[in-house]
C-alpha cells in the first residue's frame, strides 16, 4: 500500500490549495487537466504549480494534517513551502 502524501498547489492567482493523495503525480495531472476529477476550487485557476509534497503515513494521519494545514495562516503555509516550518510540528 502506498503511503499518503500531503501536497500544496499554487494557482495562477497565487492562492494555495492543500490536498492529500497516495499518488501525487496522478492527482496533480488530474488537477492540471481541469476535468471532472479536478478539485472544484482549482477549476479555472491554471496554470498550477506543485510547490510542496511530503509523505505523512496512513490516510487517517494525512486527513488530520490536511485539516490542520488548511487552517493555517497564509504566512505559515508559505513557511511550510519554504521549509522553515515542518509538518512534523503538527504530529
Amino acid at each position: 500500500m502506498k503511503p499518503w502524501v500531503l501536497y500544496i498547489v499554487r494557482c495562477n492567482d497565487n492562492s494555495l490549495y492543500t490536498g492529500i493523495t497516495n499518488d501525487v503525480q496522478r492527482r496533480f495531472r488530474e488537477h492540471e487537466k481541469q476535468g471532472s476529477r479536478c478539485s472544484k476550487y482549482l477549476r479555472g485557476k491554471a496554470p498550477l504549480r506543485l510547490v510542496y509534497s511530503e509523505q505523512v503515513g496512513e490516510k487517517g494521519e494525512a486527513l488530520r494534517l490536511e485539516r490542520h494545514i488548511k487552517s493555517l495562516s497564509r504566512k505559515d503555509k508559505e513557511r511550510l513551502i519554504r521549509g522553515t516550518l515542518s509538518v512534523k510540528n503538527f504530529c
Side-chain angles (χ1 to χ4, degrees):
M1 192 157 116
K2 292 183 180 181
W4 284 80
V5 176
L6 175 86
Y7 66 94
I8 300 176
V9 171
R10 188 177 305 275
C11 304
N12 69 347
D13 64 0
N14 210 32
S15 63
L16 299 171
Y17 172 82
T18 303
I20 60 169
T21 185
N22 58 7
D23 187 339
V24 177
Q25 276 65 34
R26 174 193 51 80
R27 188 66 180 126
F28 186 68
R29 281 191 308 269
E30 290 172 352
H31 290 319
E32 283 185 306
K33 288 182 182 178
Q34 301 281 298
S36 62
R37 306 239 350 130
C38 175
S39 163
K40 288 180 184 177
Y41 177 82
L42 295 175
R43 290 186 189 157
K45 295 192 179 194
L48 307 172
R49 287 187 300 136
L50 182 64
V51 293
Y52 178 84
S53 66
E54 185 168 343
Q55 289 186 7
V56 293
E58 296 182 7
K59 187 176 183 179
E61 179 69 6
L63 285 166
R64 186 181 72 74
L65 284 170
E66 177 189 29
R67 192 171 335 123
H68 185 77
I69 299 302
K70 285 182 174 185
S71 73
L72 291 177
S73 67
R74 179 174 184 93
K75 180 180 176 182
D76 284 340
K77 290 177 189 176
E78 293 289 355
R79 288 178 56 214
L80 186 64
I81 292 166
R82 285 191 312 270
T84 59
L85 181 65
S86 173
V87 75
K88 308 255 187 280
N89 294 346
F90 311 117
C91 295

